[in-house]
């Protein structure tokens, strides 16, 4: 793995490169194409037009940046490139507009103050205190599985992540009754990322946008009810919402109910969908790479069937490398965006005010200058040399807006894998089809079928079908 960053090129001359500009209809067509398949679009744009390009030739209102140095310009320069909530154009009196009040919708001093308070719910002692709860919830999930059955691993990991986030963020017991809230939050985020909501954000009878607004109202009411309950029970709970309810800013002021609803809305989704997808993709990659699977299972024998302690997790280098490599190759957050402020420049190009600037962990993680054989699943790359810079490896983002719950997600992923791989070998049925999609995060279109087997050696990788094969070099036999 190469860690040095390239020397910035001389100031570019001329318009930004990009697909041929088509008068009138070009931009809408390019936008529709991008949001219908962001992964293919991002990788194709990077390959054809380089590390800095536009939605169409010379149209700097939507720009794509694909290098560590450009990532740093965008993510660290918060005065030039700020976050902009997808719901900022929602009706000002709507719940959808109010729920935008979270860390990914705040900039400058407002963000700094809010992040300091939200971070108080994710201190190291608080996160480490969840280890036993995470292990117990993983046990609860595994007890449902039967040897020989085919399960949808994506759905199972979503169920586990839902239980964990319900417990750690809301302090709510993991029962099926909580499934509705989690699904509605996920539907809202997916709706905000849908091309229909972006291109037709109008509250019309029967429209998808009206459905989105109604779902937001229902979620807001549920969140406010939880907040009210927490306010009447000071000191009784150790979940993130309880910590935020009783947190105080530098001026001694608490979060308002609206702010609490927005922050916990984001924390729930961030701890649910991204973590579940990271687990699913890791299990798929291990199933398709039997040698790596066997090696990590051998490393886990030191645990003797028990959940790992924090000290033991630190002494499992291959497990750590497997997780890092999975997050590199199939990063659940395929892209993120910032809005340009007045006078912004990027890579020497002037960027119009309020232009959308996209960066992509998934594309950055495939730059051959930094990752040898970038499309291969090679956990061993993390066991040698220096790690890449935070601008070249950013599965949880980077800069001031880096994911506040990253340590919680990392702990959940590693504990779940350590427990699961000691007990089971999960393999896709021969010929299983797995296709990808991006609805806020990288997931599958129709699930991830795998057969539950007792832990065992696998002679050769199973054969799979589907477009997921386009996102990495599958080993011989698949």
């Amino acid at each position: 793995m190469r860690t040095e960053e390239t020397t910035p090129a001389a100031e570019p001359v001329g318009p930004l490169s990009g697909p041929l500009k088509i008068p009138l209809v070009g931009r809408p067509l390019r936008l529709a194409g991008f949001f219908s398949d962001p992964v293919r679009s991002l990788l194709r744009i990077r390959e054809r037009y380089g590390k800095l390009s536009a939605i169409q030739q010379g149209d700097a209102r939507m720009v794509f940046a694909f290098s560590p140095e450009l990532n740093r310009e965008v993510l660290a320069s918060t005065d030039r490139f700020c976050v902009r909530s997808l719901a900022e154009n929602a009706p000002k009196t709507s719940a959808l507009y109010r729920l935008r009040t979270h860390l990914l919708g705040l900039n400058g001093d407002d963000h700094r103050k809010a992040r300091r308070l939200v971070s108080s719910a994710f201190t190291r002692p608080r996160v480490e205190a969840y280890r036993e709860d995470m292990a117990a919830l993983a046990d609860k999930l595994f007890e449902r599985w039967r040897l020989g059955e085919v399960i949808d691993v994506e759905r199972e990991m979503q169920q586990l992540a839902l239980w964990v986030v319900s417990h750690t963020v809301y302090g709510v017991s993991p029962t099926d009754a909580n499934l509705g809230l989690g699904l509605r939050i996920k539907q809202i985020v997916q709706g905000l990322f849908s091309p229909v909501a972006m291109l037709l954000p109008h509250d019309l009878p029967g429209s998808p946008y009206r459905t989105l607004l109604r779902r937001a109202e229902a979620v807001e009411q549920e969140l406010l009810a939880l907040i009210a309950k927490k306010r009447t029970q000071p000191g009784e709970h150790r979940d993130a919402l309880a910590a935020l309810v009783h947190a105080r800013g530098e001026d001694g002021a608490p979060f308002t109910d609206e702010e609490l609803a927005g922050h916990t809305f984001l924390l729930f989704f961030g701890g649910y969908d991204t973590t579940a997808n990271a687990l699913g993709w890791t299990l798929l990659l291990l199933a398709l790479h039997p040698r790596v699977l066997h090696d990590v299972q051998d490393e886990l024998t030191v645990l003797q069937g028990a959940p790992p302690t924090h000290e033991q997790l630190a002494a499992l280098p291959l497990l750590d490398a497997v997780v890092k490599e999975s997050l590199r190759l199939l990063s659940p957050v395929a892209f993120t965006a910032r809005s340009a402020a007045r006078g912004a420049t990027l890579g020497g190009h002037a960027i119009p005010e309020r232009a959308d600037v996209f960066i992509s962990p998934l594309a950055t993680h495939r730059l051959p200058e930094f990752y040898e054989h970038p499309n291969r699943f090679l956990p061993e790359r993390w066991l040698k040399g220096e790690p890449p810079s935070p601008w070249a490896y950013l599965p949880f983002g980077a800069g001031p807006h880096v994911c506040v719950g990253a340590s919680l997600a990392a702990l959940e992923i590693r504990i779940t894998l350590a427990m699961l791989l000691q007990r089971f070998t999960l393999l896709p049925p021969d010929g299983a089809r797995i296709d990808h999609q991006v609805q806020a995060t990288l997931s599958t279109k129709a699930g991830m079928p795998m057969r539950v087997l007792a832990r065992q050696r696998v002679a050769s990788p199973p054969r799979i079908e589907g477009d997921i094969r386009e996102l990495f070099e599958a080993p011989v036999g698949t």
Side-chain angles (χ1 to χ4, degrees):
M1 187 187 309
R2 299 180 185 138
T3 61
E4 72 275 7
E5 293 188 1
T6 57
T7 302
E11 183 173 316
V13 178
L16 284 167
S17 62
L20 185 65
K21 191 171 185 177
I22 304 173
L24 299 178
V25 300
R27 182 177 171 83
L29 287 175
R30 302 297 187 196
L31 285 171
F34 173 77
F35 286 109
S36 65
D37 192 348
V39 169
R40 281 198 182 100
S41 296
L42 288 164
L43 296 178
R44 183 171 59 246
I45 289 168
R46 178 182 66 80
E47 181 180 358
R48 294 181 181 178
Y49 305 107
K51 295 179 182 178
L52 183 62
S53 56
I55 186 69
Q56 56 180 0
Q57 193 175 74
D59 185 353
R61 291 173 295 169
M62 185 170 175
V63 175
F64 302 95
F66 297 120
S67 72
E69 57 268 25
L70 293 175
N71 291 341
R72 178 166 52 191
E73 275 197 69
V74 174
L75 296 179
S77 305
T78 54
D79 57 332
R80 291 189 292 140
F81 300 99
C82 55
V83 297
R84 192 170 80 200
S85 171
L86 291 171
E88 71 171 15
N89 294 323
K92 298 298 186 288
T93 58
S94 68
L96 186 62
Y97 185 80
R98 291 189 293 274
L99 287 173
R100 87 198 191 293
T101 308
H102 51 64
L103 293 180
L104 291 184
L106 297 173
N107 294 285
D109 201 43
D110 289 337
H111 174 264
R112 182 188 63 80
K113 291 178 180 178
R115 186 177 178 91
R116 190 185 70 81
L117 284 183
V118 174
S119 297
S120 69
F122 294 95
T123 61
R124 182 172 179 177
R126 279 185 174 274
V127 170
E128 290 183 351
Y130 293 132
R131 185 194 68 85
E132 291 184 7
D133 298 324
M134 290 177 178
L137 293 171
D139 266 328
K140 177 182 173 70
L141 182 78
F142 301 154
E143 287 172 359
R144 310 192 318 178
W145 297 357
R146 297 293 177 266
L147 295 180
E149 72 174 338
V150 174
I151 60 173
D152 180 350
V153 166
E154 184 175 68
R155 186 179 184 281
E156 292 296 296
M157 294 303 104
Q158 286 175 344
Q159 179 68 80
L160 176 60
L162 176 63
W163 287 343
V164 171
V165 78
S166 294
H167 179 70
T168 58
V169 173
Y170 295 143
V172 178
S173 61
T175 65
D176 291 340
N178 300 323
L179 185 59
L181 175 60
L183 292 178
R184 281 190 289 276
I185 288 177
K186 181 178 180 178
Q187 288 167 344
I188 290 170
V189 177
Q190 289 177 340
L192 286 169
F193 276 87
S194 72
V196 174
M198 289 183 173
L199 299 175
L200 298 171
H202 305 300
D203 184 11
L204 301 174
S207 68
Y209 198 74
R210 174 164 288 187
T211 300
L212 182 62
L213 292 171
R214 299 298 175 265
R215 283 176 177 154
E217 290 174 3
V219 165
E220 183 186 47
Q221 290 305 308
E222 290 185 70
L223 293 178
L224 290 174
L226 280 170
I227 291 165
K229 185 177 180 181
K230 297 293 180 185
R231 288 198 187 282
T232 65
Q233 301 171 335
E236 291 186 19
H237 299 281
R238 55 188 179 88
D239 54 89
L241 179 54
L244 296 183
V245 163
H246 303 296
R248 296 293 181 269
E250 296 169 353
D251 57 359
F255 279 132
T256 65
D257 283 0
E258 180 178 319
E259 290 169 334
L260 286 169
H263 289 307
T264 51
F265 172 87
L266 177 67
L267 291 176
F268 191 99
F269 181 77
Y272 167 50
D273 209 49
T274 53
T275 304
N277 289 331
L279 280 165
W281 292 130
T282 304
L283 290 168
L284 176 65
L285 289 168
L286 286 172
L288 298 178
H289 296 81
R291 180 188 60 79
V292 179
L293 173 61
H294 300 158
D295 288 347
V296 75
Q297 285 180 321
D298 287 346
E299 180 183 72
L300 294 170
T301 56
V302 68
L303 302 179
Q304 298 182 335
T309 64
H310 291 288
E311 293 74 19
Q312 287 172 323
L313 280 175
L316 297 171
L318 183 55
L319 176 67
D320 183 67
V322 162
V323 173
K324 288 177 177 175
E325 181 70 348
S326 173
L327 290 173
R328 181 195 70 83
L329 194 58
L330 296 176
S331 179
V333 179
F335 65 88
T336 188
R338 295 292 186 267
S339 179
R342 180 174 301 185
T345 61
L346 182 61
H349 287 274
I351 305 297
E353 184 178 3
R354 293 183 67 80
D356 293 313
V357 180
F358 286 78
I359 67 165
S360 172
L362 188 140
T364 298
H365 295 168
R366 283 170 164 72
L367 294 175
E369 312 92 289
F370 301 96
Y371 300 99
E372 190 175 4
H373 304 301
N375 292 321
R376 295 184 188 175
F377 179 66
L378 299 172
E380 56 266 30
R381 74 172 82 239
W382 298 94
L383 301 176
K384 54 189 178 182
E386 293 295 320
S389 81
W391 313 106
Y393 180 70
L394 57 169
F396 295 105
H401 282 85
V402 67
C403 177
V404 72
S407 60
L408 186 69
L411 179 62
E412 180 182 351
I413 291 168
R414 285 162 174 78
I415 284 178
T416 302
L417 290 173
M419 295 177 64
L420 189 156
L421 296 174
Q422 288 183 83
R423 306 183 195 186
F424 304 109
T425 293
L426 302 182
L427 295 177
D430 193 51
R433 183 174 187 87
I434 301 175
D435 295 305
H436 81 275
Q437 66 177 358
V438 174
Q439 291 184 321
T441 59
L442 179 65
S443 60
T444 72
K445 287 183 179 178
M448 188 183 295
M450 290 200 194
R451 192 175 304 280
V452 180
L453 303 172
R455 175 177 165 174
Q456 59 188 257
R457 297 280 174 174
V458 179
S460 60
R463 179 179 60 88
I464 63 168
E465 304 291 344
D467 63 23
I468 193 62
R469 292 166 54 92
E470 300 173 18
L471 299 188
F472 55 87
E473 293 180 22
V476 177
T478 61

